[in-house]
Amino acid sequence: MDPDDDAHTDLRVAIDDALGQKPGVEQVVTVRLPTTYGEFLAVGYLDRRSGIEQVALVHGDVVGEPVLTRVHSECLTGDVFASTHCECGDQLSAALRAIVAEGRGILVYLQGHEGRGIGLLAKLRAMKLQEGGLDTVEANIALGLPVDARDYGVAAEMLQDLGVRSVRLLSNNPRKREALLRYGIAVTEQVPLLMTPRAENIRYLRAKRERLDHDLPHLDGIPGLS
């Protein structure tokens, strides 16, 4: 991070303290967002600590009983370019469809999470190392980077601002569930979000299961993808 960014963050925190405001997320704008999946409200937030802009897509009335929720880490290559190196784009689409089918739900889209928090260029370098035979964990380590640098405090604050205290979490990652619990969001159920593996991502998915504890039982016994 640029030292100037740290200085700006410290200044924002000092101003918030002086004004008696708690540093955290600020809801900036809410606007109707029609999509091919259905209609959402896009709720835009500013993380006052980092300056990163975040968004939650809200469908239906989400206040009350545990709401179906996807906390999705940004993935430019998967979400935008439909890369088959990962399953991120497929999971994003499946989560939005599931939320609309449910009639209510939230998708929190977290910027700053590219490559499990290492950034876009570092992720591309890690992908290049994976072409040479390293798995996704080994590649990050070889670059001298964290295996997973993501933090979910901002997601929890956004959910709390939206009146959500408990969720049915669309995720295969138990560490994400544990993180939300630490930040005060109850997780009543972890709802699997299993995508059909491809030849291009089977090694990546198996590394996520074996090295990062993801619950991916559908990977066993897949013919032609060993």
Side-chain angles (χ1 to χ4, degrees), residues 62-118:
V62 298
V63 178
E65 64 188 67
V67 62
L68 189 65
T69 299
R70 169 70 178 168
V71 176
H72 189 89
S73 296
E74 72 168 324
C75 175
L76 179 70
T77 51
D79 298 342
V80 177
F81 301 136
S83 167
T84 57
H85 174 83
C86 63
E87 82 280 39
C88 301
D90 290 339
Q91 285 187 316
L92 179 61
S93 296
L96 291 170
R97 285 195 296 268
I99 287 168
V100 171
E102 181 88 359
R104 59 194 295 270
I106 300 173
L107 185 136
V108 177
Y109 192 90
L110 291 177
Q111 298 198 94
H113 275 205
E114 188 76 53
R116 298 195 302 275
I118 64 174

Short mmCIF file of all heavy atoms in Angstrom, two decimals, residues 62-118:
data_model
loop_
_atom_site.label_atom_id
_atom_site.label_comp_id
_atom_site.label_asym_id
_atom_site.label_seq_id
_atom_site.Cartn_x
_atom_site.Cartn_y
_atom_site.Cartn_z
N VAL A 62 -35.22 -8.08 3.18
CA VAL A 62 -34.16 -8.89 3.79
C VAL A 62 -34.10 -8.74 5.31
O VAL A 62 -33.24 -9.35 5.96
CB VAL A 62 -32.78 -8.52 3.19
CG1 VAL A 62 -32.77 -8.83 1.70
CG2 VAL A 62 -32.43 -7.06 3.43
N VAL A 63 -34.98 -7.95 5.88
CA VAL A 63 -34.99 -7.78 7.34
C VAL A 63 -35.82 -8.90 7.95
O VAL A 63 -36.92 -9.21 7.47
CB VAL A 63 -35.55 -6.40 7.74
CG1 VAL A 63 -35.61 -6.27 9.25
CG2 VAL A 63 -34.70 -5.29 7.14
N GLY A 64 -35.31 -9.52 8.99
CA GLY A 64 -36.09 -10.56 9.66
C GLY A 64 -35.34 -11.86 9.75
O GLY A 64 -34.18 -11.90 10.12
N GLU A 65 -36.02 -12.94 9.38
CA GLU A 65 -35.45 -14.28 9.51
C GLU A 65 -34.17 -14.41 8.70
O GLU A 65 -33.90 -13.58 7.83
CB GLU A 65 -36.47 -15.32 9.07
CG GLU A 65 -36.84 -15.23 7.59
CD GLU A 65 -38.00 -16.14 7.23
OE1 GLU A 65 -39.11 -15.89 7.71
OE2 GLU A 65 -37.77 -17.09 6.46
N PRO A 66 -33.35 -15.42 8.96
CA PRO A 66 -32.09 -15.57 8.24
C PRO A 66 -32.28 -15.47 6.73
O PRO A 66 -33.13 -16.15 6.15
CB PRO A 66 -31.61 -16.97 8.66
CG PRO A 66 -32.20 -17.17 10.01
CD PRO A 66 -33.54 -16.48 9.96
N VAL A 67 -31.47 -14.64 6.11
CA VAL A 67 -31.65 -14.33 4.70
C VAL A 67 -30.55 -14.99 3.88
O VAL A 67 -29.39 -15.06 4.31
CB VAL A 67 -31.66 -12.80 4.48
CG1 VAL A 67 -30.34 -12.17 4.89
CG2 VAL A 67 -31.99 -12.45 3.04
N LEU A 68 -30.93 -15.52 2.73
CA LEU A 68 -29.96 -16.14 1.83
C LEU A 68 -28.96 -15.08 1.39
O LEU A 68 -29.34 -14.04 0.85
CB LEU A 68 -30.68 -16.74 0.62
CG LEU A 68 -29.85 -17.61 -0.31
CD1 LEU A 68 -29.36 -18.87 0.42
CD2 LEU A 68 -30.65 -18.00 -1.55
N THR A 69 -27.68 -15.35 1.60
CA THR A 69 -26.65 -14.34 1.39
C THR A 69 -25.42 -14.95 0.73
O THR A 69 -24.96 -16.02 1.13
CB THR A 69 -26.23 -13.70 2.72
OG1 THR A 69 -27.36 -13.07 3.32
CG2 THR A 69 -25.12 -12.67 2.53
N ARG A 70 -24.91 -14.25 -0.25
CA ARG A 70 -23.63 -14.60 -0.85
C ARG A 70 -22.65 -13.45 -0.60
O ARG A 70 -22.96 -12.29 -0.90
CB ARG A 70 -23.79 -14.80 -2.36
CG ARG A 70 -22.47 -14.91 -3.14
CD ARG A 70 -21.72 -16.17 -2.86
NE ARG A 70 -20.49 -16.28 -3.66
CZ ARG A 70 -19.55 -17.17 -3.43
NH1 ARG A 70 -19.68 -18.05 -2.44
NH2 ARG A 70 -18.46 -17.22 -4.19
N VAL A 71 -21.52 -13.75 0.01
CA VAL A 71 -20.44 -12.78 0.16
C VAL A 71 -19.39 -13.16 -0.87
O VAL A 71 -18.69 -14.17 -0.72
CB VAL A 71 -19.86 -12.80 1.59
CG1 VAL A 71 -18.68 -11.85 1.71
CG2 VAL A 71 -20.94 -12.43 2.61
N HIS A 72 -19.30 -12.37 -1.94
CA HIS A 72 -18.54 -12.75 -3.12
C HIS A 72 -17.30 -11.88 -3.27
O HIS A 72 -17.41 -10.65 -3.36
CB HIS A 72 -19.42 -12.63 -4.37
CG HIS A 72 -18.81 -13.21 -5.61
ND1 HIS A 72 -18.97 -14.54 -5.96
CD2 HIS A 72 -18.03 -12.65 -6.57
CE1 HIS A 72 -18.33 -14.76 -7.10
NE2 HIS A 72 -17.73 -13.64 -7.48
N SER A 73 -16.14 -12.51 -3.29
CA SER A 73 -14.90 -11.78 -3.52
C SER A 73 -14.73 -11.47 -5.01
O SER A 73 -14.92 -12.35 -5.86
CB SER A 73 -13.71 -12.63 -3.05
OG SER A 73 -13.76 -12.84 -1.66
N GLU A 74 -14.37 -10.23 -5.31
CA GLU A 74 -14.22 -9.85 -6.71
C GLU A 74 -13.20 -10.74 -7.41
O GLU A 74 -12.19 -11.15 -6.83
CB GLU A 74 -13.79 -8.39 -6.84
CG GLU A 74 -12.37 -8.11 -6.43
CD GLU A 74 -11.90 -6.73 -6.83
OE1 GLU A 74 -12.28 -6.25 -7.91
OE2 GLU A 74 -11.14 -6.12 -6.06
N CYS A 75 -13.49 -11.04 -8.67
CA CYS A 75 -12.59 -11.84 -9.50
C CYS A 75 -12.77 -11.36 -10.93
O CYS A 75 -13.69 -11.80 -11.63
CB CYS A 75 -12.91 -13.33 -9.37
SG CYS A 75 -11.92 -14.38 -10.48
N LEU A 76 -11.95 -10.42 -11.35
CA LEU A 76 -12.10 -9.84 -12.68
C LEU A 76 -12.05 -10.92 -13.76
O LEU A 76 -12.88 -10.94 -14.68
CB LEU A 76 -11.00 -8.80 -12.92
CG LEU A 76 -11.03 -8.12 -14.29
CD1 LEU A 76 -12.24 -7.19 -14.40
CD2 LEU A 76 -9.75 -7.35 -14.55
N THR A 77 -11.09 -11.83 -13.66
CA THR A 77 -10.93 -12.83 -14.71
C THR A 77 -12.13 -13.76 -14.80
O THR A 77 -12.55 -14.14 -15.89
CB THR A 77 -9.65 -13.65 -14.48
OG1 THR A 77 -9.64 -14.13 -13.11
CG2 THR A 77 -8.42 -12.80 -14.71
N GLY A 78 -12.71 -14.12 -13.66
CA GLY A 78 -13.85 -15.03 -13.67
C GLY A 78 -15.17 -14.33 -13.84
O GLY A 78 -16.02 -14.74 -14.65
N ASP A 79 -15.38 -13.24 -13.08
CA ASP A 79 -16.67 -12.56 -13.07
C ASP A 79 -16.94 -11.80 -14.38
O ASP A 79 -18.07 -11.75 -14.85
CB ASP A 79 -16.74 -11.56 -11.91
CG ASP A 79 -16.63 -12.23 -10.56
OD1 ASP A 79 -16.84 -13.45 -10.47
OD2 ASP A 79 -16.32 -11.52 -9.58
N VAL A 80 -15.90 -11.20 -14.93
CA VAL A 80 -16.07 -10.34 -16.11
C VAL A 80 -15.69 -11.07 -17.40
O VAL A 80 -16.41 -11.03 -18.39
CB VAL A 80 -15.24 -9.05 -15.97
CG1 VAL A 80 -15.35 -8.19 -17.23
CG2 VAL A 80 -15.69 -8.26 -14.75
N PHE A 81 -14.52 -11.75 -17.37
CA PHE A 81 -14.01 -12.36 -18.59
C PHE A 81 -14.38 -13.83 -18.72
O PHE A 81 -13.97 -14.49 -19.68
CB PHE A 81 -12.49 -12.21 -18.64
CG PHE A 81 -12.03 -10.77 -18.61
CD1 PHE A 81 -10.96 -10.39 -17.82
CD2 PHE A 81 -12.67 -9.81 -19.36
CE1 PHE A 81 -10.53 -9.07 -17.77
CE2 PHE A 81 -12.26 -8.48 -19.33
CZ PHE A 81 -11.19 -8.11 -18.53
N ALA A 82 -15.14 -14.37 -17.75
CA ALA A 82 -15.62 -15.75 -17.79
C ALA A 82 -14.49 -16.76 -17.92
O ALA A 82 -14.60 -17.77 -18.62
CB ALA A 82 -16.63 -15.93 -18.93
N SER A 83 -13.38 -16.51 -17.21
CA SER A 83 -12.28 -17.46 -17.20
C SER A 83 -12.74 -18.78 -16.61
O SER A 83 -13.49 -18.82 -15.62
CB SER A 83 -11.12 -16.91 -16.35
OG SER A 83 -10.18 -17.92 -16.08
N THR A 84 -12.26 -19.87 -17.19
CA THR A 84 -12.55 -21.20 -16.65
C THR A 84 -11.42 -21.71 -15.76
O THR A 84 -11.43 -22.88 -15.35
CB THR A 84 -12.80 -22.20 -17.80
OG1 THR A 84 -11.65 -22.22 -18.67
CG2 THR A 84 -14.04 -21.83 -18.59
N HIS A 85 -10.46 -20.84 -15.46
CA HIS A 85 -9.41 -21.20 -14.50
C HIS A 85 -9.99 -21.40 -13.11
O HIS A 85 -9.48 -22.19 -12.32
CB HIS A 85 -8.34 -20.12 -14.47
CG HIS A 85 -7.28 -20.34 -13.42
ND1 HIS A 85 -6.20 -21.16 -13.63
CD2 HIS A 85 -7.15 -19.85 -12.16
CE1 HIS A 85 -5.44 -21.18 -12.55
NE2 HIS A 85 -5.99 -20.40 -11.64
N CYS A 86 -11.06 -20.67 -12.81
CA CYS A 86 -11.73 -20.76 -11.51
C CYS A 86 -13.23 -20.96 -11.74
O CYS A 86 -13.68 -21.06 -12.88
CB CYS A 86 -11.49 -19.49 -10.69
SG CYS A 86 -12.17 -18.00 -11.45
N GLU A 87 -14.00 -21.01 -10.66
CA GLU A 87 -15.46 -21.14 -10.78
C GLU A 87 -16.18 -19.88 -10.35
O GLU A 87 -17.41 -19.88 -10.19
CB GLU A 87 -15.93 -22.35 -9.96
CG GLU A 87 -16.13 -22.12 -8.47
CD GLU A 87 -14.87 -22.17 -7.63
OE1 GLU A 87 -13.82 -21.65 -8.08
OE2 GLU A 87 -14.94 -22.69 -6.52
N CYS A 88 -15.44 -18.76 -10.18
CA CYS A 88 -16.02 -17.56 -9.59
C CYS A 88 -17.19 -16.98 -10.39
O CYS A 88 -18.21 -16.60 -9.83
CB CYS A 88 -14.93 -16.50 -9.40
SG CYS A 88 -13.57 -17.04 -8.35
N GLY A 89 -17.01 -16.88 -11.70
CA GLY A 89 -18.09 -16.32 -12.51
C GLY A 89 -19.34 -17.17 -12.46
O GLY A 89 -20.45 -16.66 -12.35
N ASP A 90 -19.16 -18.49 -12.51
CA ASP A 90 -20.31 -19.40 -12.42
C ASP A 90 -20.99 -19.25 -11.06
O ASP A 90 -22.23 -19.27 -10.96
CB ASP A 90 -19.85 -20.85 -12.61
CG ASP A 90 -19.42 -21.15 -14.03
OD1 ASP A 90 -19.82 -20.40 -14.94
OD2 ASP A 90 -18.68 -22.12 -14.22
N GLN A 91 -20.20 -19.13 -10.00
CA GLN A 91 -20.78 -18.97 -8.66
C GLN A 91 -21.54 -17.65 -8.54
O GLN A 91 -22.61 -17.61 -7.91
CB GLN A 91 -19.69 -19.05 -7.60
CG GLN A 91 -19.17 -20.44 -7.35
CD GLN A 91 -18.22 -20.48 -6.18
OE1 GLN A 91 -17.36 -19.62 -6.02
NE2 GLN A 91 -18.37 -21.48 -5.33
N LEU A 92 -21.01 -16.60 -9.11
CA LEU A 92 -21.69 -15.30 -9.06
C LEU A 92 -23.06 -15.40 -9.72
O LEU A 92 -24.08 -14.98 -9.16
CB LEU A 92 -20.84 -14.24 -9.75
CG LEU A 92 -21.41 -12.83 -9.81
CD1 LEU A 92 -21.65 -12.26 -8.41
CD2 LEU A 92 -20.47 -11.92 -10.60
N SER A 93 -23.12 -15.98 -10.92
CA SER A 93 -24.39 -16.12 -11.63
C SER A 93 -25.35 -17.02 -10.86
O SER A 93 -26.54 -16.72 -10.72
CB SER A 93 -24.14 -16.69 -13.03
OG SER A 93 -23.38 -15.80 -13.82
N ALA A 94 -24.83 -18.15 -10.36
CA ALA A 94 -25.68 -19.10 -9.63
C ALA A 94 -26.24 -18.47 -8.37
O ALA A 94 -27.40 -18.70 -8.00
CB ALA A 94 -24.89 -20.36 -9.30
N ALA A 95 -25.44 -17.66 -7.68
CA ALA A 95 -25.91 -17.02 -6.45
C ALA A 95 -27.01 -16.02 -6.74
O ALA A 95 -28.02 -15.97 -6.02
CB ALA A 95 -24.74 -16.33 -5.76
N LEU A 96 -26.86 -15.23 -7.79
CA LEU A 96 -27.90 -14.26 -8.14
C LEU A 96 -29.20 -14.97 -8.53
O LEU A 96 -30.29 -14.55 -8.14
CB LEU A 96 -27.41 -13.34 -9.26
CG LEU A 96 -26.29 -12.38 -8.87
CD1 LEU A 96 -25.72 -11.69 -10.11
CD2 LEU A 96 -26.78 -11.34 -7.87
N ARG A 97 -29.09 -16.06 -9.28
CA ARG A 97 -30.28 -16.83 -9.64
C ARG A 97 -30.95 -17.40 -8.39
O ARG A 97 -32.18 -17.40 -8.27
CB ARG A 97 -29.92 -17.95 -10.62
CG ARG A 97 -29.64 -17.48 -12.04
CD ARG A 97 -29.64 -18.65 -13.02
NE ARG A 97 -28.56 -19.59 -12.71
CZ ARG A 97 -27.34 -19.55 -13.23
NH1 ARG A 97 -27.04 -18.59 -14.10
NH2 ARG A 97 -26.44 -20.44 -12.91
N ALA A 98 -30.14 -17.93 -7.47
CA ALA A 98 -30.70 -18.53 -6.26
C ALA A 98 -31.41 -17.51 -5.39
O ALA A 98 -32.47 -17.78 -4.82
CB ALA A 98 -29.58 -19.21 -5.46
N ILE A 99 -30.84 -16.33 -5.29
CA ILE A 99 -31.45 -15.26 -4.49
C ILE A 99 -32.80 -14.85 -5.08
O ILE A 99 -33.79 -14.69 -4.34
CB ILE A 99 -30.49 -14.07 -4.39
CG1 ILE A 99 -29.32 -14.41 -3.45
CG2 ILE A 99 -31.21 -12.81 -3.92
CD1 ILE A 99 -28.17 -13.43 -3.51
N VAL A 100 -32.86 -14.70 -6.38
CA VAL A 100 -34.13 -14.32 -7.03
C VAL A 100 -35.15 -15.44 -6.88
O VAL A 100 -36.33 -15.19 -6.59
CB VAL A 100 -33.89 -13.96 -8.51
CG1 VAL A 100 -35.22 -13.79 -9.24
CG2 VAL A 100 -33.06 -12.68 -8.61
N ALA A 101 -34.72 -16.69 -7.04
CA ALA A 101 -35.64 -17.82 -6.89
C ALA A 101 -36.18 -17.89 -5.46
O ALA A 101 -37.34 -18.27 -5.25
CB ALA A 101 -34.93 -19.12 -7.25
N GLU A 102 -35.36 -17.52 -4.50
CA GLU A 102 -35.77 -17.53 -3.09
C GLU A 102 -36.79 -16.43 -2.80
O GLU A 102 -37.58 -16.53 -1.86
CB GLU A 102 -34.52 -17.32 -2.22
CG GLU A 102 -34.76 -17.32 -0.74
CD GLU A 102 -34.70 -18.70 -0.13
OE1 GLU A 102 -34.47 -19.68 -0.88
OE2 GLU A 102 -34.87 -18.81 1.10
N GLY A 103 -36.74 -15.36 -3.60
CA GLY A 103 -37.65 -14.23 -3.39
C GLY A 103 -37.08 -13.14 -2.51
O GLY A 103 -37.67 -12.06 -2.38
N ARG A 104 -35.93 -13.40 -1.87
CA ARG A 104 -35.28 -12.42 -1.02
C ARG A 104 -33.84 -12.85 -0.78
O ARG A 104 -33.56 -14.06 -0.70
CB ARG A 104 -36.01 -12.27 0.32
CG ARG A 104 -36.11 -13.55 1.12
CD ARG A 104 -37.12 -13.45 2.27
NE ARG A 104 -36.72 -12.49 3.27
CZ ARG A 104 -35.97 -12.80 4.34
NH1 ARG A 104 -35.54 -14.04 4.51
NH2 ARG A 104 -35.67 -11.87 5.22
N GLY A 105 -32.97 -11.89 -0.69
CA GLY A 105 -31.58 -12.25 -0.44
C GLY A 105 -30.64 -11.10 -0.75
O GLY A 105 -31.04 -10.05 -1.25
N ILE A 106 -29.37 -11.33 -0.46
CA ILE A 106 -28.34 -10.30 -0.61
C ILE A 106 -27.10 -10.92 -1.22
O ILE A 106 -26.68 -12.02 -0.85
CB ILE A 106 -27.96 -9.68 0.75
CG1 ILE A 106 -29.17 -9.04 1.42
CG2 ILE A 106 -26.84 -8.65 0.60
CD1 ILE A 106 -28.89 -8.58 2.84
N LEU A 107 -26.51 -10.18 -2.15
CA LEU A 107 -25.17 -10.50 -2.62
C LEU A 107 -24.26 -9.33 -2.27
O LEU A 107 -24.49 -8.21 -2.74
CB LEU A 107 -25.13 -10.79 -4.11
CG LEU A 107 -23.75 -11.26 -4.61
CD1 LEU A 107 -23.89 -12.44 -5.56
CD2 LEU A 107 -22.97 -10.12 -5.26
N VAL A 108 -23.29 -9.57 -1.40
CA VAL A 108 -22.29 -8.56 -1.06
C VAL A 108 -21.09 -8.81 -1.96
O VAL A 108 -20.48 -9.89 -1.92
CB VAL A 108 -21.88 -8.66 0.42
CG1 VAL A 108 -20.77 -7.65 0.73
CG2 VAL A 108 -23.07 -8.44 1.33
N TYR A 109 -20.76 -7.81 -2.79
CA TYR A 109 -19.65 -7.95 -3.73
C TYR A 109 -18.47 -7.15 -3.18
O TYR A 109 -18.53 -5.93 -3.09
CB TYR A 109 -20.04 -7.44 -5.11
CG TYR A 109 -19.05 -7.83 -6.19
CD1 TYR A 109 -19.19 -9.03 -6.88
CD2 TYR A 109 -17.96 -7.02 -6.49
CE1 TYR A 109 -18.28 -9.40 -7.86
CE2 TYR A 109 -17.05 -7.37 -7.46
CZ TYR A 109 -17.21 -8.57 -8.15
OH TYR A 109 -16.31 -8.94 -9.11
N LEU A 110 -17.40 -7.86 -2.81
CA LEU A 110 -16.29 -7.24 -2.10
C LEU A 110 -15.13 -6.92 -3.03
O LEU A 110 -14.42 -7.81 -3.50
CB LEU A 110 -15.82 -8.15 -0.96
CG LEU A 110 -16.80 -8.31 0.20
CD1 LEU A 110 -16.25 -9.30 1.22
CD2 LEU A 110 -17.09 -6.97 0.86
N GLN A 111 -14.94 -5.63 -3.28
CA GLN A 111 -13.75 -5.19 -3.99
C GLN A 111 -12.56 -5.21 -3.02
O GLN A 111 -12.72 -5.14 -1.81
CB GLN A 111 -13.95 -3.79 -4.56
CG GLN A 111 -15.08 -3.72 -5.58
CD GLN A 111 -15.00 -2.49 -6.44
OE1 GLN A 111 -14.43 -2.51 -7.53
NE2 GLN A 111 -15.57 -1.40 -5.95
N GLY A 112 -11.36 -5.33 -3.59
CA GLY A 112 -10.17 -5.46 -2.77
C GLY A 112 -9.84 -6.89 -2.41
O GLY A 112 -8.88 -7.15 -1.69
N HIS A 113 -10.64 -7.84 -2.92
CA HIS A 113 -10.44 -9.26 -2.61
C HIS A 113 -9.84 -10.04 -3.78
O HIS A 113 -9.77 -11.26 -3.73
CB HIS A 113 -11.76 -9.91 -2.21
CG HIS A 113 -12.09 -9.74 -0.77
ND1 HIS A 113 -12.92 -10.60 -0.10
CD2 HIS A 113 -11.71 -8.82 0.13
CE1 HIS A 113 -13.05 -10.22 1.16
NE2 HIS A 113 -12.32 -9.12 1.32
N GLU A 114 -9.45 -9.34 -4.84
CA GLU A 114 -8.93 -10.01 -6.02
C GLU A 114 -7.79 -10.97 -5.64
O GLU A 114 -6.86 -10.60 -4.91
CB GLU A 114 -8.41 -8.97 -7.01
CG GLU A 114 -8.02 -9.54 -8.36
CD GLU A 114 -9.21 -9.86 -9.24
OE1 GLU A 114 -10.06 -8.98 -9.45
OE2 GLU A 114 -9.27 -11.00 -9.73
N GLY A 115 -7.86 -12.20 -6.14
CA GLY A 115 -6.80 -13.17 -5.88
C GLY A 115 -6.66 -13.52 -4.41
O GLY A 115 -5.56 -13.69 -3.91
N ARG A 116 -7.79 -13.64 -3.71
CA ARG A 116 -7.80 -13.85 -2.26
C ARG A 116 -7.04 -12.74 -1.54
O ARG A 116 -6.38 -12.95 -0.54
CB ARG A 116 -7.27 -15.24 -1.88
CG ARG A 116 -8.09 -16.40 -2.42
CD ARG A 116 -7.75 -17.72 -1.73
NE ARG A 116 -6.36 -18.08 -1.83
CZ ARG A 116 -5.82 -18.73 -2.88
NH1 ARG A 116 -6.60 -19.12 -3.89
NH2 ARG A 116 -4.54 -19.03 -2.90
N GLY A 117 -7.14 -11.53 -2.11
CA GLY A 117 -6.61 -10.35 -1.43
C GLY A 117 -5.23 -9.92 -1.86
O GLY A 117 -4.71 -8.93 -1.32
N ILE A 118 -4.61 -10.58 -2.85
CA ILE A 118 -3.25 -10.20 -3.24
C ILE A 118 -3.22 -9.22 -4.41
O ILE A 118 -2.16 -8.67 -4.73
CB ILE A 118 -2.39 -11.43 -3.58
CG1 ILE A 118 -2.93 -12.17 -4.81
CG2 ILE A 118 -2.29 -12.36 -2.38
CD1 ILE A 118 -2.03 -13.32 -5.28
#
